[in-house]
Amino acid sequence: MQEEMEVKLRLEGAQSNLETIDQLSDFEDESLFTPEAESQKAQPVLECEHEPISLASTSRGNKNLRNGVYKSIKTVVFSNKLNLLMPFGPLAIMVHNMTGHKGWVFFLSLLGITPLAERLGYATEQLAFYTGATVGGLLNATFGNATELIISIYALKSGMIRVVQLSLLGSILSNMLLVLGCAFFCGGLVIRNKEQRFDKASAVVNSGLLLMAVMGLLFPAVLHYTHTEVHFGRSELALSRFSSCVMLVAYVAYLVFQLKGQREPYLPLTEEENQATDAADHDDGGDEEPEISKWESIIWLLIMTAWISFLSEYLVDAIQGASVAWNIPISFISVILLPIVGNAAEHASAIMFAMKDKLDISLGVAIGSSTQISMFGIPFCVVIGWIMGRTMDLNFQLFETATLFITVIVVAFFLQEGTSNYFKGLMLILCYLIVAASFFVHEDSSSEDDKKLKT
């Protein structure tokens, strides 16, 4: 009995101890989780963890930056097979410094600039996604033929006025015959089940501007060959500079009309065609999205422009030497070879859009580029030459002016129906081959550049 009482007393003592411990733990919990205690407890933890968190965020930011740069380089540089030609640019510089062989320097520079011109057009298109239709159109107008303008300015700086004239003329001929012809031909082969159509109104406006450019080039040539100048040697130059200013005003008015007056100048005419185009876009996967960011586009645009400018100096410097080494007239090099490189972006874009049955855009790329060179590029070079003190004029000589005039007439006839097929494209390509053969056998004896070669 006594043992049972002792056990009972021990149990009651243990139970009272447990209750006491519970009360103390509750009191400690309340004191620990008060706001004052919580803030005092969190303060040293934050102070200790502040520095590691900042270091982690910095390293994470650097990693994201490296990944972004790698992704951008992969998208712009390694996504196009044409970029395999990029190493030929540095190789041209090495050949220039080690051997000085003008023919190889010209050839390698030509190959090196080709992918850069295409990537310049790509960067412009990517930037246009973020700027809207109006600013995007101005960007395309500015950078669409940047390669030709850069080469022309370097040639103008070197006093090679005839090379400037012929290269700009060749750019117009290449866009109107070769680029448009390849677009019609490839589009007609891919889309055989229906006749491709485009907006005749836009084609007529561009044809009118091209005829105006022909008129601006024709009158100084006629004035020169008829010997009817009031002041010999000065009236022709004064007329060229005045006409260039007028053509620049006309081109600015054309941009305002195209971008403001007509918000979407290259849309199909009828509602049925518009619905068909929307359905085709939906089948292709919807609207296209940019592949790189806005600032990446700007940075790549600057990089490509600077690299093209750097290589253009070697290219222009080697033109005369290449003409002698290969026994090829400068007129053929300037009219045929240089524009093919400069029009690489337009060539690829026009064919791609034609194969997607977006012929209005192909027409805007090919004919719009010709309009830009004739109404902006040529007058711009005349004004720049005026500022530099160079006698750059609009007298492109009789043979070249006649070639441009006939080309504009032929293309205008092909565009008047508002339809295209592979046969029309083949005809334009064959016309370009005739023009190329004509300049291959044409000796530009009146040019100052050929006179330098003969001496």
Side-chain angles (χ1 to χ4, degrees), residues 190-263:
V190 173
I191 303 173
R192 297 183 180 181
N193 56 348
K194 68 174 183 177
E195 192 175 39
Q196 290 185 296
R197 295 181 174 274
F198 53 85
D199 187 3
K200 289 191 291 185
S202 297
V204 169
V205 171
N206 282 280
S207 299
L209 287 171
L210 289 170
L211 286 172
M212 180 181 177
V214 170
M215 184 175 67
L217 301 180
L218 183 62
F219 287 143
V222 171
L223 190 67
H224 175 79
Y225 283 100
T226 56
H227 304 287
T228 56
E229 297 178 82
V230 175
H231 303 286
F232 181 76
R234 290 188 297 170
S235 298
E236 178 186 334
L237 183 60
L239 176 62
S240 298
R241 289 171 175 173
F242 175 79
S243 300
S244 297
C245 295
V246 173
M247 292 164 70
L248 289 173
V249 172
Y251 184 72
V252 172
Y254 163 70
L255 287 180
V256 174
F257 170 75
Q258 185 186 41
L259 300 176
K260 295 292 185 180
Q262 295 182 335
R263 293 187 177 181

Side-chain angles (χ1 to χ4, degrees), residues 12-28:
E12 289 177 356
Q15 185 174 2
S16 63
N17 291 333
L18 288 174
E19 290 177 356
T20 305
I21 292 172
D22 290 339
Q23 291 177 358
L24 290 174
S25 64
D26 292 340
F27 176 77
E28 289 176 355

